């Protein structure tokens, strides 16, 4: 046990020394509590979330919200599939009712790229909008955040605000326009967070922009919108909620993160696990355990789909202030290096590994590995997900959680590992490199990718 803990600690400390942080979701990749150095580790955490409004049919209020904001020229962002569906129609009806002047941008790409961000940014700059509405999943909301940011900072280069080491990671100091997010999936929690994620095509990795300044002004969570989600989109969105909750609960504690910022503007949005994020992460995990299977299997189960819609926001509050770690870090090359895989229920014209799927496929291997550092929290998570831990040994926490996750995924017909979506052992070096685009830390994850090739 001690040797295993040392091995995990050595690996994760290597990550921290190399500043190898999840380039899009957070700044808390390493989970190892280093011995604090006086004045070097942080001593505070800060909670930042969007205002949230929840209720069946609450989308009808959006026209009044824009009227109350004094908006005269609104940008409505969505994608081509959603533009024909009830959630967008509900928004359009409200805008028309209250006489809101708007333009539609429906060219958002599912799993956006740097180029698709730039296209939306160009539209936003040309339109000179004074408010934004994003109707869709994380792809739409993140694209709208980026458009709002760069339209408000028109002289900035694109990489100025992109997270280091790919971009410059500059703090956002310009005032942004109001942004109202209307999520139509139950996964990313993007309506609550200051993150915008995209594929950086040149490096074939995901990265993003992370700043409290870009979080939406208001998130409108209307459970009626979830009724139009197909089965696999419900499943993959739910897996993102699952991993957001698990990873943020097992992230490095905020007071073990270093360095301590010299100015609070430099304190990262993702600060490490903390008492407030822990509450939201565990609550989201309990909802996933109770409702995700029901939400997938019965599209008319409004109770289940409504609760998963809330769980997405709850987990967003948790990870949006704590961060995530290896499942998300390893997911970016899985998505970015996709070959020919096209998932069921996604109406797209390009190969695609949905974000939630790319995250969850490595989760059994990851949590079997990380439990050597936080076994009690891993065992608690396993129990929430249905494991009987009455006679469990603490040293088996990782294996128990991994087996619980495998059973959960098997019951939901999840692809049997990375091999089932087109990868082989020959791809592992590229996957490892893509996990850490800024460093060739080759000892990071070959074993975890190999263990994830087949789940069952």
């Amino acid at each position: 046990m001690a040797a295993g803990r040392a091995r995990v600690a050595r690996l994760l400390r290597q990550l921290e020394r190399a500043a190898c942080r999840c380039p899009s979701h957070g700044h808390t990749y390493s989970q190892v509590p280093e011995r604090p150095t006086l004045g070097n580790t942080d001593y505070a955490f800060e909670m930042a979330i969007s205002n949230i409004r929840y209720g069946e049919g609450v989308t009808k209020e959006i026209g009044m919200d824009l009227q109350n904001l004094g908006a005269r020229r609104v940008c409505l962002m969505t994608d081509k599939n959603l533009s024909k569906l009830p959630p967008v129609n509900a928004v359009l009806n409200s805008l028309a009712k209250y006489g809101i002047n708007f333009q539609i941008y429906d060219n958002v790409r599912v799993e956006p790229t740097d180029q698709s961000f730039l296209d939306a940014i160009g539209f936003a700059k040309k339109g000179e909008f004074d408010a934004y509405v994003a109707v869709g999943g994380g792809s739409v909301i993140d694209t709208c955040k980026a458009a709002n940011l760069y339209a408000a900072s028109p002289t900035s280069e694109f990489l100025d605000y992109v997270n280091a080491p790919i971009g410059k990671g500059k703090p956002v100091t310009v005032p942004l326009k109001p942004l109202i997010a209307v999520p139509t999936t139950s996964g990313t929690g993007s309506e609550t967070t200051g993150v915008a994620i995209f594929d950086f095509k040149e490096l074939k990795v995901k990265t993003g922009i992370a700043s409290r300044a870009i979080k939406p002004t208001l998130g409108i969570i209307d459970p009626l919108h979830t009724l139009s989600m197909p089965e696999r989109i419900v499943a993959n969105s739910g897996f993102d909620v699952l991993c957001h909750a698990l990873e943020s609960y097992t992230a490095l504690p905020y007071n073990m993160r270093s360095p301590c910022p010299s100015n609070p503007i430099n304190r990262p949005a993702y600060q490490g696990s903390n008492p407030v994020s822990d509450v939201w992460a565990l609550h989201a995990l309990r909802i996933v355990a109770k409702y995700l299977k029901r939400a997938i299997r019965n599209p008319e189960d409004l109770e289940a789909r409504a609760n998963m819609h809330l769980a997405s926001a709850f987990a967003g509050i948790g990870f949006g202030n704590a961060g995530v770690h290896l499942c998300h870090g390893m997911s970016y090359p899985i998505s970015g290096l996709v070959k020919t895989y096209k998932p069921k229920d996604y109406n797209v014209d390009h190969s695609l590994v949905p974000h939630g799927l790319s995250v969850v496929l490595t989760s059994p291997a990851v949590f079997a590995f990380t439990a050597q550092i936080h076994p009690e929290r891993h065992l608690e998570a396993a129990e929430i997900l249905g494991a009987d831990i009455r006679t469990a040994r603490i040293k088996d926490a990782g294996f128990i959680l991994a087996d619980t996750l495998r059973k959960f995924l098997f019951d939901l017909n999840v692809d049997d590992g990375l091999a089932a979506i087109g990868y082989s052992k020959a791809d592992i070096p590229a996957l490892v490199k893509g996990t850490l685009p800024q460093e060739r830390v080759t000892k990071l994850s070959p074993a975890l990718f190999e263990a994830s090739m087949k789940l069952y």
Side-chain angles (χ1 to χ4, degrees):
M1 182 72 172
R5 286 173 62 89
R7 183 169 64 92
V8 178
R10 192 163 53 246
L11 184 86
L12 293 176
R13 286 191 179 108
Q14 186 178 21
L15 281 169
E16 191 169 69
R17 283 197 301 271
C20 296
R21 301 172 302 207
C22 168
S24 49
H25 266 76
H27 302 263
T28 53
Y29 221 123
S30 171
Q31 301 169 283
V32 183
E34 297 277 7
R35 179 173 293 181
T37 302
L38 186 62
N40 191 44
T41 56
D42 209 344
Y43 61 93
F45 68 92
E46 179 177 336
M47 297 299 293
I49 65 167
S50 307
N51 291 331
I52 296 296
R53 184 183 302 150
Y54 173 87
E56 291 182 26
V58 74
T59 305
K60 67 186 177 184
E61 296 182 356
I62 197 167
M64 286 186 281
D65 289 315
L66 292 165
Q67 201 174 63
N68 294 339
L69 288 167
R72 298 181 180 277
R73 190 173 176 83
V74 175
C75 175
L76 170 59
M77 285 203 175
T78 190
D79 64 45
K80 291 194 184 299
N81 292 325
L82 272 166
S83 65
K84 308 177 186 72
L85 295 177
V88 171
N89 287 334
V91 171
L92 292 175
N93 289 338
S94 184
L95 298 185
K97 181 177 180 180
Y98 293 97
I100 303 299
N101 178 37
F102 66 92
Q103 289 186 37
I104 294 181
Y105 181 84
D106 65 358
N107 204 32
V108 171
R109 189 182 194 272
V110 178
E111 301 296 340
T113 65
D114 48 340
Q115 186 57 56
S116 73
F117 265 21
L118 287 167
D119 292 343
I121 290 165
F123 181 86
K125 286 181 176 179
K126 184 178 178 180
E128 298 182 341
F129 302 107
D130 58 8
Y132 294 82
V133 175
V135 186
S139 296
V140 172
I141 299 172
D142 287 2
T143 299
C144 199
K145 290 174 186 176
N148 189 11
L149 170 61
Y150 288 94
S153 185
T155 61
S156 295
E157 298 291 332
F158 180 67
L159 290 179
D160 282 353
Y161 297 120
V162 173
N163 292 340
I166 292 170
K168 297 178 182 177
K170 290 183 177 180
V172 177
T173 57
V174 296
L176 273 61
K177 303 299 184 184
L179 191 165
I180 300 177
V182 186
T184 59
T185 62
S186 303
T188 66
S190 186
E191 68 277 8
T192 69
T193 71
V195 178
I197 296 172
F198 64 93
D199 284 311
F200 193 67
K201 299 302 284 184
E202 181 181 344
L203 295 178
K204 295 185 178 180
V205 294
K206 278 190 186 288
T207 184
I209 302 160
S211 170
R212 295 180 186 89
I214 69 170
K215 64 181 172 54
T217 311
L218 172 66
I220 291 183
I221 302 175
D222 187 338
L224 296 181
H225 297 334
T226 66
L227 298 178
S228 59
M229 276 198 296
E231 175 190 312
R232 282 295 97 187
I233 294 179
V234 176
N236 292 327
S237 299
F239 298 147
D240 202 17
V241 178
L242 171 66
C243 288
H244 282 158
L246 286 173
E247 290 174 71
S248 63
Y249 189 56
T250 56
L252 175 72
Y254 74 94
N255 57 358
M256 296 292 183
R257 183 183 50 77
S258 62
C260 180
S262 58
N263 186 311
I265 197 173
N266 296 321
R267 181 168 283 117
Y270 304 99
Q271 305 150 92
S273 63
N274 60 75
V276 180
S277 286
D278 288 351
V279 171
W280 293 104
L282 288 177
H283 190 45
L285 192 60
R286 292 187 178 99
I287 294 174
V288 169
K290 183 174 181 179
Y291 288 109
L292 179 56
K293 291 181 180 179
R294 281 175 50 183
I296 293 169
R297 290 167 177 164
N298 182 1
E300 297 181 359
D301 189 338
L302 182 59
E303 179 188 0
R305 292 204 167 189
N307 273 280
M308 283 304 302
H309 214 30
L310 274 176
S312 175
F314 294 162
I317 296 168
F319 94 83
N321 293 281
V324 288
H325 53 79
L326 283 170
C327 291
H328 274 80
M330 293 171 65
S331 79
Y332 303 127
I334 294 171
S335 294
L337 297 171
V338 61
K339 299 175 184 179
T340 60
Y341 183 78
K342 288 189 177 180
K344 179 185 174 185
D345 292 339
Y346 287 76
N347 183 18
V348 292
D349 60 2
H350 53 277
S351 298
L352 169 72
V353 179
H355 175 64
L357 180 61
S358 70
V359 168
V360 85
L361 287 177
T362 62
S363 63
V366 163
F367 291 110
F369 178 71
T370 58
Q372 296 172 79
I373 299 297
H374 291 299
E376 297 84 4
R377 288 195 169 208
H378 288 67
L379 206 56
E380 182 181 8
E383 183 178 33
I384 290 171
L385 292 172
D388 183 350
I389 65 167
R390 286 175 296 181
T391 60
R393 298 179 299 180
I394 198 71
K395 69 177 184 179
D396 295 330
F399 299 112
I400 292 169
L401 180 53
D403 285 345
T404 303
L405 286 166
R406 285 191 191 95
K407 183 178 185 303
F408 193 80
L409 300 181
F410 181 81
D411 287 347
L412 293 173
N413 301 313
V414 175
D415 299 84
D416 188 9
L418 298 180
I421 62 171
Y423 290 105
S424 69
K425 290 183 180 180
D427 297 308
I428 290 176
L431 291 168
V432 172
K433 183 179 178 181
T435 303
L436 300 173
Q438 71 276 39
E439 293 284 343
R440 290 299 298 271
V441 186
T442 55
K443 292 183 180 179
L444 165 70
S445 51
L448 297 181
F449 279 120
E450 185 169 355
S452 302
M453 285 294 163
K454 190 171 177 63
L455 293 182
Y456 315 123

